[in-house]
Amino acid sequence: MQNNYFHSVKFDKEQCKGCVTCIKFCPTEAIRIRGGKARIIQSRCIDCGECIRRCPHHAKRADTDTLTDIGKFNFNVALPAPALYSQFAPAVSREKIFAALHRLGFDAVYEVALAAEYVTLEIESYMKNRAVLKKPMISSACPAIIRLIQVRFPSLVGHIIPILPPVEVAATEARREFTRATGLAAETIGVWFLTPCPAKATNIRQPVDVTATDLSGAIGISSFYGEMKKILGAISEADIEKARASSYGIGWGYAGGEIRATGLVNSLIVHGVKEVADVLEQIEMSKMDDVDYVECLACPGGCIGGALLPENRFVAEKNLKLRVRRLRDREPAGRRQTILGGREIAPGNSAFRHKTIQPRPIMKLDDNIVVAMKKVGQIKQILAELPGIDCGACGSPTCASLAEDIVQGLAAETDCVFKLRQVVNALEEEMGKPFKNTRGEPYGSLDKTGE
Amino acid sequence: MCEPFMDLSFDLTAGDFERAGEASGKIKKTLQQIGVSADIVRRVAIGTYEGEMNVIIHSHGGTAKAHIYPEYTVVVLEDTGPGIADIELAVQEGYSTAPDYVRDLGFGAGMGLPNMKSCSDCFEIVSKAGEGTKITMRFAHKKA
């Protein structure tokens, strides 16, 4: 198990009650309850934030940067995710939102939505100019999905479109633009992504797609949301910076926005990490070879459903869609003329290409295939003796994963309460006084018929 | 020939589309667990799934078996049923005898046998009209 992998999903031991909610929802079975507390298996975690969303005791949190971190730089640029706009009613103009960001300490704003328009054109041209495409191509926008593919669907890494996600393009463009505008040295400028999710925060310290990121850090939106709301209530309409992104860039904040922008009609829009896993399963079985493109997003509803957004996700969706529609009503031209104002960008710009994404499979039981085969046999034997009800009380998400943990030396058979009862019962019987429950029935029976 | 390190066996019921994919899914998981490379696992899964579907669609039922060795996997699909009258015709792309209700479900496009052939390193089909069909596919775990 590798432990040197940085994760932004962190876990608060004090708050954890050792319930089984998180282990049940984790899409990569990356959590176990051991010694009454949850433990994240680092090599399996994809930072999707599902455990943060599900934990009833708020014991999981995202370790992102905060506003105090921007003090380290002379000049700070805020990169708001389109999803930030979803946290406010469409009547709150983006100019006002930018003014509030200035009040919070930023010196400039570069909309990730604007970079999304560059990415849109890159995707469109890639899809058009490729004679041989691995169909379907999969969107690279969601870092949790990239990681899900690496660990659970390694044969699909070649299907990920080799174009950087908007946030990375935004960082590069912002750093370039403000180095030029301020005359400051590039390294003295702080470039901060205002993030709706932990996965994007992880990607900065441990990028899967770029060799060196232009981002200085990621600040979780929930960490400054309260303060920002207060500021927005206090300031009148401000005009420090003009909003530049079109409705197509902003639409990337909800599921379907990327497809709407790129105009790729023979596409699927899939959101929610479990739903995405199901579709990736189908793609792996070659059952979707006639689809061109799949927009896959780990959060339900897309980025507006991110775990670091305080607003209800349906309200957020309404807010952002309404903002997009009102903006679209004021945009005179068609789709292609609206994106980046109809500007052409050189197709195949290498600055937008990501490095090759490597598979990071987690299923393998042993490096030695003969040993691994023996382990599969042992797991099968152990599993046959387990109750098969996947209660999670042992701390592993399913009976099958407990069997695997036992074979890997990470759990014991008596971690299963049913197995433990059998052992206790056998002991009691040996001592001549079988233990009965309050109804006078013997413990330890795996008889599920109730007779 | 040495004993297989591992044998997996599944019963296939004619017309049971609900459980279609179970055999290929379990074989896939086992190969992933023993560390066979992702591309090979994918080929085995696709080939087995196509075979499974054929048995479910066309036969009176049968079995899917995987014999897994460290170096290669052999998948055998055996059924009782009408058999294949003209094998050469059946392995041609697009040739299908699937009934309409099967096509309505999105299957039966006539790509099953060709896919199985192209996925596997070694493909053998034996069939007797009126009795049944046996398909054997061999997959090397390392690319030749």
Side-chain angles (χ1 to χ4, degrees), chain B residues 90-136:
Chain B
V91 294
Q92 281 176 21
E93 290 189 7
Y95 178 81
S96 176
T97 56
D100 283 345
Y101 86 95
V102 169
R103 287 169 181 260
D104 286 344
L105 289 167
F107 305 109
M111 292 305 292
L113 291 175
N115 272 346
M116 290 161 76
K117 203 174 167 181
S118 65
C119 278
S120 54
D121 298 309
C122 200
F123 176 83
E124 191 190 77
I125 176 164
V126 182
S127 187
K128 209 163 179 191
E131 284 181 23
T133 304
K134 180 178 176 182
I135 287 172
T136 310

mmCIF file of all heavy atoms in Angstrom, chain B residues 90-136:
data_model
loop_
_atom_site.group_PDB
_atom_site.id
_atom_site.type_symbol
_atom_site.label_atom_id
_atom_site.label_comp_id
_atom_site.label_asym_id
_atom_site.label_seq_id
_atom_site.Cartn_x
_atom_site.Cartn_y
_atom_site.Cartn_z
ATOM 1 N N ALA B 90 -21.542 -18.237 -40.593
ATOM 2 C CA ALA B 90 -21.835 -17.669 -39.273
ATOM 3 C C ALA B 90 -20.726 -16.768 -38.748
ATOM 4 O O ALA B 90 -20.982 -15.837 -37.985
ATOM 5 C CB ALA B 90 -22.092 -18.794 -38.261
ATOM 6 N N VAL B 91 -19.473 -17.038 -39.138
ATOM 7 C CA VAL B 91 -18.386 -16.187 -38.639
ATOM 8 C C VAL B 91 -18.189 -14.938 -39.490
ATOM 9 O O VAL B 91 -17.299 -14.134 -39.218
ATOM 10 C CB VAL B 91 -17.028 -16.944 -38.499
ATOM 11 C CG1 VAL B 91 -17.116 -18.015 -37.434
ATOM 12 C CG2 VAL B 91 -16.592 -17.521 -39.830
ATOM 13 N N GLN B 92 -19.049 -14.755 -40.506
ATOM 14 C CA GLN B 92 -18.958 -13.521 -41.294
ATOM 15 C C GLN B 92 -19.643 -12.375 -40.563
ATOM 16 O O GLN B 92 -20.697 -12.558 -39.964
ATOM 17 C CB GLN B 92 -19.619 -13.717 -42.669
ATOM 18 C CG GLN B 92 -18.714 -14.463 -43.641
ATOM 19 C CD GLN B 92 -19.410 -14.747 -44.955
ATOM 20 O OE1 GLN B 92 -20.383 -14.084 -45.309
ATOM 21 N NE2 GLN B 92 -18.917 -15.746 -45.656
ATOM 22 N N GLU B 93 -19.014 -11.185 -40.658
ATOM 23 C CA GLU B 93 -19.576 -10.019 -39.982
ATOM 24 C C GLU B 93 -20.962 -9.695 -40.517
ATOM 25 O O GLU B 93 -21.169 -9.659 -41.727
ATOM 26 C CB GLU B 93 -18.663 -8.804 -40.170
ATOM 27 C CG GLU B 93 -17.370 -8.945 -39.408
ATOM 28 C CD GLU B 93 -16.544 -7.672 -39.412
ATOM 29 O OE1 GLU B 93 -17.038 -6.641 -39.887
ATOM 30 O OE2 GLU B 93 -15.405 -7.733 -38.924
ATOM 31 N N GLY B 94 -21.883 -9.481 -39.606
ATOM 32 C CA GLY B 94 -23.215 -9.044 -39.991
ATOM 33 C C GLY B 94 -24.195 -10.164 -40.257
ATOM 34 O O GLY B 94 -25.394 -9.928 -40.375
ATOM 35 N N TYR B 95 -23.683 -11.420 -40.331
ATOM 36 C CA TYR B 95 -24.607 -12.528 -40.533
ATOM 37 C C TYR B 95 -25.271 -12.868 -39.210
ATOM 38 O O TYR B 95 -24.599 -13.081 -38.204
ATOM 39 C CB TYR B 95 -23.878 -13.755 -41.083
ATOM 40 C CG TYR B 95 -24.796 -14.947 -41.266
ATOM 41 C CD1 TYR B 95 -25.614 -15.044 -42.390
ATOM 42 C CD2 TYR B 95 -24.871 -15.945 -40.294
ATOM 43 C CE1 TYR B 95 -26.482 -16.114 -42.541
ATOM 44 C CE2 TYR B 95 -25.737 -17.015 -40.434
ATOM 45 C CZ TYR B 95 -26.545 -17.098 -41.565
ATOM 46 O OH TYR B 95 -27.398 -18.149 -41.704
ATOM 47 N N SER B 96 -26.573 -12.882 -39.173
ATOM 48 C CA SER B 96 -27.273 -13.136 -37.919
ATOM 49 C C SER B 96 -28.528 -13.949 -38.137
ATOM 50 O O SER B 96 -29.216 -13.786 -39.140
ATOM 51 C CB SER B 96 -27.653 -11.799 -37.256
ATOM 52 O OG SER B 96 -28.410 -12.044 -36.093
ATOM 53 N N THR B 97 -28.787 -14.849 -37.204
ATOM 54 C CA THR B 97 -30.051 -15.589 -37.243
ATOM 55 C C THR B 97 -30.894 -15.246 -36.017
ATOM 56 O O THR B 97 -31.842 -15.944 -35.690
ATOM 57 C CB THR B 97 -29.791 -17.111 -37.259
ATOM 58 O OG1 THR B 97 -28.998 -17.441 -36.117
ATOM 59 C CG2 THR B 97 -29.080 -17.545 -38.525
ATOM 60 N N ALA B 98 -30.488 -14.157 -35.315
ATOM 61 C CA ALA B 98 -31.202 -13.777 -34.093
ATOM 62 C C ALA B 98 -32.637 -13.357 -34.418
ATOM 63 O O ALA B 98 -32.860 -12.644 -35.394
ATOM 64 C CB ALA B 98 -30.475 -12.633 -33.397
ATOM 65 N N PRO B 99 -33.604 -13.827 -33.622
ATOM 66 C CA PRO B 99 -34.990 -13.425 -33.852
ATOM 67 C C PRO B 99 -35.209 -11.936 -33.550
ATOM 68 O O PRO B 99 -34.393 -11.312 -32.890
ATOM 69 C CB PRO B 99 -35.777 -14.299 -32.876
ATOM 70 C CG PRO B 99 -34.797 -14.724 -31.830
ATOM 71 C CD PRO B 99 -33.474 -14.761 -32.499
ATOM 72 N N ASP B 100 -36.315 -11.390 -34.051
ATOM 73 C CA ASP B 100 -36.591 -9.955 -33.926
ATOM 74 C C ASP B 100 -36.581 -9.453 -32.490
ATOM 75 O O ASP B 100 -36.054 -8.391 -32.196
ATOM 76 C CB ASP B 100 -37.958 -9.630 -34.571
ATOM 77 C CG ASP B 100 -37.826 -9.612 -36.094
ATOM 78 O OD1 ASP B 100 -36.670 -9.564 -36.564
ATOM 79 O OD2 ASP B 100 -38.865 -9.653 -36.777
ATOM 80 N N TYR B 101 -37.171 -10.257 -31.577
ATOM 81 C CA TYR B 101 -37.270 -9.750 -30.199
ATOM 82 C C TYR B 101 -35.882 -9.558 -29.591
ATOM 83 O O TYR B 101 -35.665 -8.676 -28.762
ATOM 84 C CB TYR B 101 -38.147 -10.668 -29.332
ATOM 85 C CG TYR B 101 -37.428 -11.844 -28.698
ATOM 86 C CD1 TYR B 101 -36.942 -11.739 -27.386
ATOM 87 C CD2 TYR B 101 -37.247 -13.048 -29.377
ATOM 88 C CE1 TYR B 101 -36.281 -12.804 -26.797
ATOM 89 C CE2 TYR B 101 -36.587 -14.110 -28.800
ATOM 90 C CZ TYR B 101 -36.113 -13.987 -27.500
ATOM 91 O OH TYR B 101 -35.460 -15.029 -26.919
ATOM 92 N N VAL B 102 -34.932 -10.371 -30.035
ATOM 93 C CA VAL B 102 -33.557 -10.239 -29.554
ATOM 94 C C VAL B 102 -32.913 -8.975 -30.123
ATOM 95 O O VAL B 102 -32.245 -8.221 -29.433
ATOM 96 C CB VAL B 102 -32.741 -11.486 -29.923
ATOM 97 C CG1 VAL B 102 -31.253 -11.262 -29.671
ATOM 98 C CG2 VAL B 102 -33.221 -12.695 -29.135
ATOM 99 N N ARG B 103 -33.196 -8.730 -31.417
ATOM 100 C CA ARG B 103 -32.648 -7.518 -32.045
ATOM 101 C C ARG B 103 -33.248 -6.274 -31.402
ATOM 102 O O ARG B 103 -32.572 -5.262 -31.255
ATOM 103 C CB ARG B 103 -32.952 -7.526 -33.550
ATOM 104 C CG ARG B 103 -32.098 -8.546 -34.297
ATOM 105 C CD ARG B 103 -32.622 -8.708 -35.714
ATOM 106 N NE ARG B 103 -31.839 -9.679 -36.445
ATOM 107 C CZ ARG B 103 -30.885 -9.353 -37.311
ATOM 108 N NH1 ARG B 103 -30.601 -8.090 -37.548
ATOM 109 N NH2 ARG B 103 -30.200 -10.288 -37.928
ATOM 110 N N ASP B 104 -34.519 -6.376 -31.008
ATOM 111 C CA ASP B 104 -35.159 -5.252 -30.334
ATOM 112 C C ASP B 104 -34.462 -4.926 -29.012
ATOM 113 O O ASP B 104 -34.463 -3.800 -28.555
ATOM 114 C CB ASP B 104 -36.645 -5.542 -30.071
ATOM 115 C CG ASP B 104 -37.457 -5.465 -31.359
ATOM 116 O OD1 ASP B 104 -36.929 -4.900 -32.342
ATOM 117 O OD2 ASP B 104 -38.594 -5.975 -31.382
ATOM 118 N N LEU B 105 -33.864 -5.936 -28.392
ATOM 119 C CA LEU B 105 -33.145 -5.716 -27.146
ATOM 120 C C LEU B 105 -31.761 -5.113 -27.394
ATOM 121 O O LEU B 105 -31.028 -4.804 -26.464
ATOM 122 C CB LEU B 105 -32.985 -7.040 -26.385
ATOM 123 C CG LEU B 105 -34.250 -7.639 -25.752
ATOM 124 C CD1 LEU B 105 -33.992 -9.072 -25.317
ATOM 125 C CD2 LEU B 105 -34.704 -6.805 -24.570
ATOM 126 N N GLY B 106 -31.399 -4.989 -28.657
ATOM 127 C CA GLY B 106 -30.104 -4.394 -28.978
ATOM 128 C C GLY B 106 -29.010 -5.417 -29.208
ATOM 129 O O GLY B 106 -27.831 -5.081 -29.302
ATOM 130 N N PHE B 107 -29.385 -6.683 -29.299
ATOM 131 C CA PHE B 107 -28.394 -7.726 -29.563
ATOM 132 C C PHE B 107 -28.623 -8.308 -30.958
ATOM 133 O O PHE B 107 -29.533 -7.908 -31.664
ATOM 134 C CB PHE B 107 -28.514 -8.852 -28.524
ATOM 135 C CG PHE B 107 -28.422 -8.368 -27.102
ATOM 136 C CD1 PHE B 107 -29.533 -8.352 -26.279
ATOM 137 C CD2 PHE B 107 -27.203 -7.929 -26.594
ATOM 138 C CE1 PHE B 107 -29.438 -7.906 -24.972
ATOM 139 C CE2 PHE B 107 -27.102 -7.480 -25.292
ATOM 140 C CZ PHE B 107 -28.223 -7.473 -24.479
ATOM 141 N N GLY B 108 -27.790 -9.277 -31.307
ATOM 142 C CA GLY B 108 -28.032 -10.012 -32.545
ATOM 143 C C GLY B 108 -27.655 -9.280 -33.813
ATOM 144 O O GLY B 108 -28.288 -9.448 -34.847
ATOM 145 N N ALA B 109 -26.613 -8.440 -33.749
ATOM 146 C CA ALA B 109 -26.216 -7.689 -34.934
ATOM 147 C C ALA B 109 -25.304 -8.489 -35.856
ATOM 148 O O ALA B 109 -24.818 -7.984 -36.858
ATOM 149 C CB ALA B 109 -25.534 -6.393 -34.528
ATOM 150 N N GLY B 110 -25.047 -9.726 -35.479
ATOM 151 C CA GLY B 110 -24.198 -10.548 -36.335
ATOM 152 C C GLY B 110 -22.716 -10.281 -36.146
ATOM 153 O O GLY B 110 -21.909 -10.546 -37.028
ATOM 154 N N MET B 111 -22.339 -9.764 -34.991
ATOM 155 C CA MET B 111 -20.937 -9.466 -34.725
ATOM 156 C C MET B 111 -20.342 -10.379 -33.647
ATOM 157 O O MET B 111 -19.162 -10.291 -33.339
ATOM 158 C CB MET B 111 -20.782 -7.997 -34.283
ATOM 159 C CG MET B 111 -21.067 -6.979 -35.374
ATOM 160 S SD MET B 111 -20.070 -7.239 -36.859
ATOM 161 C CE MET B 111 -18.451 -6.835 -36.219
ATOM 162 N N GLY B 112 -21.179 -11.233 -33.087
ATOM 163 C CA GLY B 112 -20.735 -12.070 -31.973
ATOM 164 C C GLY B 112 -19.544 -12.937 -32.301
ATOM 165 O O GLY B 112 -18.467 -12.769 -31.732
ATOM 166 N N LEU B 113 -19.697 -13.834 -33.255
ATOM 167 C CA LEU B 113 -18.598 -14.731 -33.601
ATOM 168 C C LEU B 113 -17.375 -13.992 -34.162
ATOM 169 O O LEU B 113 -16.255 -14.286 -33.759
ATOM 170 C CB LEU B 113 -19.087 -15.823 -34.565
ATOM 171 C CG LEU B 113 -20.056 -16.849 -33.937
ATOM 172 C CD1 LEU B 113 -20.571 -17.803 -35.014
ATOM 173 C CD2 LEU B 113 -19.383 -17.638 -32.822
ATOM 174 N N PRO B 114 -17.572 -13.036 -35.086
ATOM 175 C CA PRO B 114 -16.394 -12.296 -35.560
ATOM 176 C C PRO B 114 -15.634 -11.604 -34.420
ATOM 177 O O PRO B 114 -14.409 -11.610 -34.408
ATOM 178 C CB PRO B 114 -16.983 -11.251 -36.516
ATOM 179 C CG PRO B 114 -18.302 -11.787 -36.921
ATOM 180 C CD PRO B 114 -18.797 -12.639 -35.799
ATOM 181 N N ASN B 115 -16.386 -11.016 -33.474
ATOM 182 C CA ASN B 115 -15.737 -10.369 -32.330
ATOM 183 C C ASN B 115 -14.941 -11.362 -31.493
ATOM 184 O O ASN B 115 -13.832 -11.085 -31.052
ATOM 185 C CB ASN B 115 -16.766 -9.691 -31.424
ATOM 186 C CG ASN B 115 -17.045 -8.266 -31.861
ATOM 187 O OD1 ASN B 115 -16.310 -7.708 -32.666
ATOM 188 N ND2 ASN B 115 -18.114 -7.687 -31.333
ATOM 189 N N MET B 116 -15.547 -12.535 -31.256
ATOM 190 C CA MET B 116 -14.872 -13.549 -30.447
ATOM 191 C C MET B 116 -13.580 -13.984 -31.135
ATOM 192 O O MET B 116 -12.559 -14.195 -30.492
ATOM 193 C CB MET B 116 -15.793 -14.754 -30.250
ATOM 194 C CG MET B 116 -16.976 -14.440 -29.346
ATOM 195 S SD MET B 116 -18.332 -15.613 -29.506
ATOM 196 C CE MET B 116 -17.681 -16.993 -28.613
ATOM 197 N N LYS B 117 -13.645 -14.093 -32.438
ATOM 198 C CA LYS B 117 -12.481 -14.516 -33.205
ATOM 199 C C LYS B 117 -11.373 -13.455 -33.126
ATOM 200 O O LYS B 117 -10.204 -13.770 -32.919
ATOM 201 C CB LYS B 117 -12.895 -14.734 -34.667
ATOM 202 C CG LYS B 117 -11.967 -15.666 -35.402
ATOM 203 C CD LYS B 117 -12.506 -15.963 -36.794
ATOM 204 C CE LYS B 117 -11.421 -16.633 -37.615
ATOM 205 N NZ LYS B 117 -11.873 -16.912 -38.974
ATOM 206 N N SER B 118 -11.782 -12.173 -33.265
ATOM 207 C CA SER B 118 -10.750 -11.127 -33.296
ATOM 208 C C SER B 118 -10.193 -10.840 -31.901
ATOM 209 O O SER B 118 -9.063 -10.380 -31.756
ATOM 210 C CB SER B 118 -11.304 -9.851 -33.937
ATOM 211 O OG SER B 118 -12.332 -9.309 -33.146
ATOM 212 N N CYS B 119 -10.975 -11.105 -30.848
ATOM 213 C CA CYS B 119 -10.498 -10.864 -29.484
ATOM 214 C C CYS B 119 -9.476 -11.902 -29.035
ATOM 215 O O CYS B 119 -8.554 -11.602 -28.285
ATOM 216 C CB CYS B 119 -11.656 -10.912 -28.493
ATOM 217 S SG CYS B 119 -12.574 -9.384 -28.393
ATOM 218 N N SER B 120 -9.652 -13.138 -29.504
ATOM 219 C CA SER B 120 -8.838 -14.229 -28.965
ATOM 220 C C SER B 120 -7.618 -14.508 -29.837
ATOM 221 O O SER B 120 -7.575 -14.148 -31.006
ATOM 222 C CB SER B 120 -9.699 -15.488 -28.851
ATOM 223 O OG SER B 120 -10.311 -15.769 -30.105
ATOM 224 N N ASP B 121 -6.615 -15.151 -29.223
ATOM 225 C CA ASP B 121 -5.414 -15.524 -29.976
ATOM 226 C C ASP B 121 -5.659 -16.810 -30.749
ATOM 227 O O ASP B 121 -4.995 -17.098 -31.740
ATOM 228 C CB ASP B 121 -4.240 -15.727 -29.025
ATOM 229 C CG ASP B 121 -3.901 -14.448 -28.295
ATOM 230 O OD1 ASP B 121 -3.743 -13.413 -28.969
ATOM 231 O OD2 ASP B 121 -3.824 -14.468 -27.053
ATOM 232 N N CYS B 122 -6.591 -17.604 -30.259
ATOM 233 C CA CYS B 122 -6.862 -18.891 -30.871
ATOM 234 C C CYS B 122 -8.355 -19.155 -30.716
ATOM 235 O O CYS B 122 -8.895 -19.043 -29.621
ATOM 236 C CB CYS B 122 -6.034 -19.935 -30.124
ATOM 237 S SG CYS B 122 -5.785 -21.421 -31.048
ATOM 238 N N PHE B 123 -9.028 -19.450 -31.819
ATOM 239 C CA PHE B 123 -10.479 -19.575 -31.786
ATOM 240 C C PHE B 123 -10.875 -20.863 -32.491
ATOM 241 O O PHE B 123 -10.461 -21.120 -33.620
ATOM 242 C CB PHE B 123 -11.076 -18.359 -32.497
ATOM 243 C CG PHE B 123 -12.578 -18.378 -32.642
ATOM 244 C CD1 PHE B 123 -13.401 -17.956 -31.600
ATOM 245 C CD2 PHE B 123 -13.177 -18.804 -33.827
ATOM 246 C CE1 PHE B 123 -14.786 -17.952 -31.738
ATOM 247 C CE2 PHE B 123 -14.566 -18.807 -33.968
ATOM 248 C CZ PHE B 123 -15.360 -18.381 -32.914
ATOM 249 N N GLU B 124 -11.662 -21.686 -31.787
ATOM 250 C CA GLU B 124 -12.065 -22.941 -32.398
ATOM 251 C C GLU B 124 -13.560 -23.124 -32.195
ATOM 252 O O GLU B 124 -14.080 -22.858 -31.111
ATOM 253 C CB GLU B 124 -11.306 -24.085 -31.735
ATOM 254 C CG GLU B 124 -11.438 -25.404 -32.469
ATOM 255 C CD GLU B 124 -10.879 -26.544 -31.634
ATOM 256 O OE1 GLU B 124 -11.558 -26.980 -30.699
ATOM 257 O OE2 GLU B 124 -9.750 -26.961 -31.908
ATOM 258 N N ILE B 125 -14.218 -23.557 -33.243
ATOM 259 C CA ILE B 125 -15.665 -23.749 -33.122
ATOM 260 C C ILE B 125 -16.042 -25.118 -33.687
ATOM 261 O O ILE B 125 -15.643 -25.477 -34.791
ATOM 262 C CB ILE B 125 -16.432 -22.574 -33.805
ATOM 263 C CG1 ILE B 125 -17.948 -22.808 -33.769
ATOM 264 C CG2 ILE B 125 -15.961 -22.326 -35.217
ATOM 265 C CD1 ILE B 125 -18.734 -21.538 -34.072
ATOM 266 N N VAL B 126 -16.754 -25.884 -32.881
ATOM 267 C CA VAL B 126 -17.209 -27.203 -33.306
ATOM 268 C C VAL B 126 -18.717 -27.225 -33.107
ATOM 269 O O VAL B 126 -19.210 -26.861 -32.040
ATOM 270 C CB VAL B 126 -16.571 -28.319 -32.445
ATOM 271 C CG1 VAL B 126 -17.025 -29.689 -32.929
ATOM 272 C CG2 VAL B 126 -15.059 -28.221 -32.479
ATOM 273 N N SER B 127 -19.444 -27.611 -34.141
ATOM 274 C CA SER B 127 -20.895 -27.582 -34.001
ATOM 275 C C SER B 127 -21.529 -28.710 -34.799
ATOM 276 O O SER B 127 -21.035 -29.084 -35.864
ATOM 277 C CB SER B 127 -21.432 -26.233 -34.493
ATOM 278 O OG SER B 127 -22.816 -26.159 -34.209
ATOM 279 N N LYS B 128 -22.596 -29.230 -34.262
ATOM 280 C CA LYS B 128 -23.321 -30.257 -34.980
ATOM 281 C C LYS B 128 -24.778 -29.835 -35.007
ATOM 282 O O LYS B 128 -25.379 -29.595 -33.949
ATOM 283 C CB LYS B 128 -23.168 -31.605 -34.267
ATOM 284 C CG LYS B 128 -23.246 -32.766 -35.226
ATOM 285 C CD LYS B 128 -22.688 -34.019 -34.601
ATOM 286 C CE LYS B 128 -22.797 -35.178 -35.572
ATOM 287 N NZ LYS B 128 -22.519 -36.450 -34.923
ATOM 288 N N ALA B 129 -25.318 -29.711 -36.219
ATOM 289 C CA ALA B 129 -26.702 -29.256 -36.347
ATOM 290 C C ALA B 129 -27.626 -30.162 -35.542
ATOM 291 O O ALA B 129 -27.515 -31.393 -35.599
ATOM 292 C CB ALA B 129 -27.110 -29.236 -37.813
ATOM 293 N N GLY B 130 -28.487 -29.560 -34.763
ATOM 294 C CA GLY B 130 -29.442 -30.324 -33.970
ATOM 295 C C GLY B 130 -28.906 -30.799 -32.634
ATOM 296 O O GLY B 130 -29.660 -31.317 -31.818
ATOM 297 N N GLU B 131 -27.613 -30.616 -32.391
ATOM 298 C CA GLU B 131 -27.057 -31.086 -31.120
ATOM 299 C C GLU B 131 -26.504 -29.967 -30.248
ATOM 300 O O GLU B 131 -26.851 -29.836 -29.075
ATOM 301 C CB GLU B 131 -25.957 -32.133 -31.383
ATOM 302 C CG GLU B 131 -26.548 -33.469 -31.771
ATOM 303 C CD GLU B 131 -25.492 -34.520 -32.020
ATOM 304 O OE1 GLU B 131 -24.371 -34.382 -31.488
ATOM 305 O OE2 GLU B 131 -25.791 -35.465 -32.762
ATOM 306 N N GLY B 132 -25.642 -29.156 -30.833
ATOM 307 C CA GLY B 132 -25.086 -28.078 -30.023
ATOM 308 C C GLY B 132 -23.778 -27.547 -30.570
ATOM 309 O O GLY B 132 -23.321 -27.951 -31.639
ATOM 310 N N THR B 133 -23.194 -26.620 -29.831
ATOM 311 C CA THR B 133 -21.998 -25.923 -30.288
ATOM 312 C C THR B 133 -20.993 -25.847 -29.147
ATOM 313 O O THR B 133 -21.372 -25.700 -27.987
ATOM 314 C CB THR B 133 -22.359 -24.483 -30.732
ATOM 315 O OG1 THR B 133 -23.381 -24.571 -31.733
ATOM 316 C CG2 THR B 133 -21.164 -23.753 -31.302
ATOM 317 N N LYS B 134 -19.710 -25.968 -29.516
ATOM 318 C CA LYS B 134 -18.662 -25.769 -28.528
ATOM 319 C C LYS B 134 -17.631 -24.800 -29.099
ATOM 320 O O LYS B 134 -17.102 -25.024 -30.182
ATOM 321 C CB LYS B 134 -17.995 -27.104 -28.184
ATOM 322 C CG LYS B 134 -16.882 -26.969 -27.150
ATOM 323 C CD LYS B 134 -16.282 -28.321 -26.816
ATOM 324 C CE LYS B 134 -15.116 -28.163 -25.859
ATOM 325 N NZ LYS B 134 -14.480 -29.440 -25.543
ATOM 326 N N ILE B 135 -17.405 -23.717 -28.359
ATOM 327 C CA ILE B 135 -16.435 -22.716 -28.802
ATOM 328 C C ILE B 135 -15.311 -22.655 -27.792
ATOM 329 O O ILE B 135 -15.537 -22.615 -26.576
ATOM 330 C CB ILE B 135 -17.105 -21.326 -28.947
ATOM 331 C CG1 ILE B 135 -18.003 -21.330 -30.190
ATOM 332 C CG2 ILE B 135 -16.065 -20.217 -29.038
ATOM 333 C CD1 ILE B 135 -18.852 -20.102 -30.337
ATOM 334 N N THR B 136 -14.077 -22.679 -28.284
ATOM 335 C CA THR B 136 -12.912 -22.580 -27.417
ATOM 336 C C THR B 136 -12.091 -21.373 -27.830
ATOM 337 O O THR B 136 -11.768 -21.211 -29.009
ATOM 338 C CB THR B 136 -12.044 -23.857 -27.517
ATOM 339 O OG1 THR B 136 -12.907 -24.992 -27.339
ATOM 340 C CG2 THR B 136 -10.955 -23.871 -26.456
#
